[in-house]
Amino acid sequence: MKRSNAALWTIMTVLLIVVFFLSLAAGRFAIEPTAVCDILMRAAGGNAGTDMASTVVLELRLPRTLLAMLVGAGLSLSGAVYQGIFRNPLVSPDVLGVSSGAGFGAVLGILLWGTGTGTSIIAFVCGMASVGLAYYFSRSRGSVSMMSLVLSGIIISSIFSALISLVKYVADPYDKLPAITYWLMGSLGKADFDKIQIIGLPMIAAGVLLIAIRWRINILSLGEEEARSLGVNPASIRNIAIVAATVLTALSVMVCGIVGWVGLVIPHMCRRMVGVDHARLLPAACFTGAIFLALVDICARSLLAAELPIGILTALLGAPFFAFLLKRTREKQGDWS
């Protein structure tokens, strides 16, 4: 078992490195992998070139690849955590309305002053506020039940979705509306090192926190009574995990728009590879999510002359694959009709 686990992590690490270099080399302006390695080595030595290939690799593709891997890992990790906390494999990172809330903040910012730092900040604030509202409406006599929290999240998500539609309705159809529509479909086209500096440290901190408490998430998946019997306070652990997972999702939506299906499908793939133990599931979700979204981004900027929004591709790839996984699972259980 230990040998197979070591082999699995080795394969994931190798795949991550291969996809990283492939993302730097692939595109409409193709660059040889050896040339990519040479550019990176010269840049590491403080001798970044000024030729076209160096500019494309260092200023365009490198920040885009790093951001794609960071967002893919964050969404996958948050999805795995949410599914473990709620003990429901159909739960996604936006179950508490964080994607809709962040989306409303972003489209409101675009409507008022266009894209920029202010729009990113209001997107993050609204994403976190949506979860706070879901908690507020689900509280009853000082406690929060999981069912009421999910229902409150659905309500908050519907409200923010309606507000997004309202903003789109009043937006200038020749200026603001195209920018809003394109942002909502998800894109890494405006990736730069400034965005990575803004979200990098908070996402890494939230991810490390979730990895550190992964065994407690295992206990939460057993139920509240079992968790208390094992000396774990389920409410505090659940709140910490939800806040950290929400930060990951809100930051991801803040920088690249709404990218669906990653946080729902990738955890399912990882469970088939490593099982349901969160000690292995959460790291596997990080690796697989980073690889998946980097590959999707390669397709988004290589398939057509015009760049495709990554949200469209993740839906086209994720929905059929999830249907396949669901069918296989139901067939094994013997209740597929």
Side-chain angles (χ1 to χ4, degrees):
M1 180 64 71
K2 291 183 178 180
R3 184 175 299 176
S4 62
N5 287 337
L8 178 62
W9 299 123
T10 302
I11 292 172
M12 285 189 174
T13 303
V14 171
L15 281 176
L16 186 68
I17 296 172
V18 169
V19 171
F20 174 78
F21 282 97
L22 178 63
S23 180
L24 297 181
R28 289 190 293 272
F29 180 68
I31 302 173
E32 291 293 331
T34 55
V36 171
C37 294
D38 181 62
I39 291 170
L40 293 178
M41 291 178 64
R42 285 191 285 110
N47 186 26
T50 58
D51 57 292
M52 177 67 73
S54 298
T55 301
V56 170
V57 171
L58 298 177
E59 298 183 14
L60 297 178
R61 291 182 183 171
L62 181 58
R64 182 167 181 152
T65 300
L66 293 175
L67 191 63
M69 290 186 167
L70 194 60
V71 170
L75 291 175
S76 302
L77 178 58
S78 61
V81 169
Y82 271 120
Q83 290 172 8
I85 291 173
F86 289 97
R87 293 185 292 169
N88 189 337
L90 299 179
V91 167
S92 62
D94 57 355
V95 65
L96 300 183
V98 59
S99 295
S100 298
F104 168 70
V107 300
L108 182 62
I110 294 173
L111 178 68
L112 296 178
W113 52 72
T115 58
T117 304
T119 297
S120 299
I121 292 174
I122 193 174
F124 177 75
V125 171
C126 288
M128 298 300 295
S130 66
V131 178
L133 289 173
Y135 260 96
Y136 174 77
F137 288 115
S138 63
R139 291 186 68 86
S140 176
R141 298 178 181 179
S143 62
V144 177
S145 69
M146 302 305 291
M147 180 60 68
S148 62
L149 186 58
V150 171
L151 294 176
S152 298
I154 294 173
I155 294 170
I156 297 300
S157 180
S158 299
I159 293 174
F160 277 118
S161 296
L163 291 174
I164 290 174
S165 298
L166 177 62
V167 173
K168 292 172 65 177
Y169 180 77
V170 301
D172 183 352
Y174 300 103
D175 181 22
K176 302 293 185 180
L177 185 58
I180 289 173
T181 302
Y182 186 75
W183 187 92
L184 289 173
M185 290 188 292
S187 174
L188 293 165
K190 294 185 178 181
D192 54 35
F193 286 109
D194 289 337
K195 286 186 172 62
I196 295 176
Q197 290 177 353
I198 292 172
I199 72 167
L201 186 58
M203 289 191 75
I204 292 174
V208 169
L209 176 61
L210 290 173
I211 296 294
I213 64 171
R214 61 191 184 276
W215 69 271
R216 291 183 174 88
I217 299 176
N218 276 338
I219 296 175
L220 287 181
S221 64
L222 300 176
E224 293 201 5
E225 293 184 1
E226 289 81 359
R228 290 193 185 94
S229 67
L230 293 173
V232 173
N233 186 344
S236 62
I237 298 299
R238 183 173 61 239
N239 293 340
I240 292 172
I242 287 178
V243 169
T246 300
V247 167
L248 290 175
T249 305
L251 289 172
S252 299
V253 176
M254 182 183 84
V255 295
C256 66
I258 298 176
V259 181
W261 291 97
V262 177
L264 179 62
V265 173
I266 299 301
H268 278 271
M269 294 176 57
C270 295
R271 283 191 193 90
R272 297 178 70 90
M273 292 188 297
V274 302
V276 298
D277 183 3
H278 288 82
R280 297 189 301 270
L281 177 62
L282 298 192
C286 290
F287 274 89
T288 310
I291 294 170
F292 173 76
L293 200 60
L295 289 174
V296 169
D297 183 56
I298 294 173
C299 296
R301 51 188 165 88
S302 304
L303 290 178
L304 300 177
E307 181 179 324
L308 288 170
I310 57 175
I312 294 177
L313 290 178
T314 56
L316 289 175
L317 294 173
F321 185 77
F322 186 73
F324 169 76
L325 289 179
L326 181 62
K327 186 175 185 299
R328 288 289 301 273
T329 302
R330 297 290 296 274
E331 285 177 344
K332 288 183 178 180
Q333 292 174 349
D335 58 352
W336 180 266
S337 58

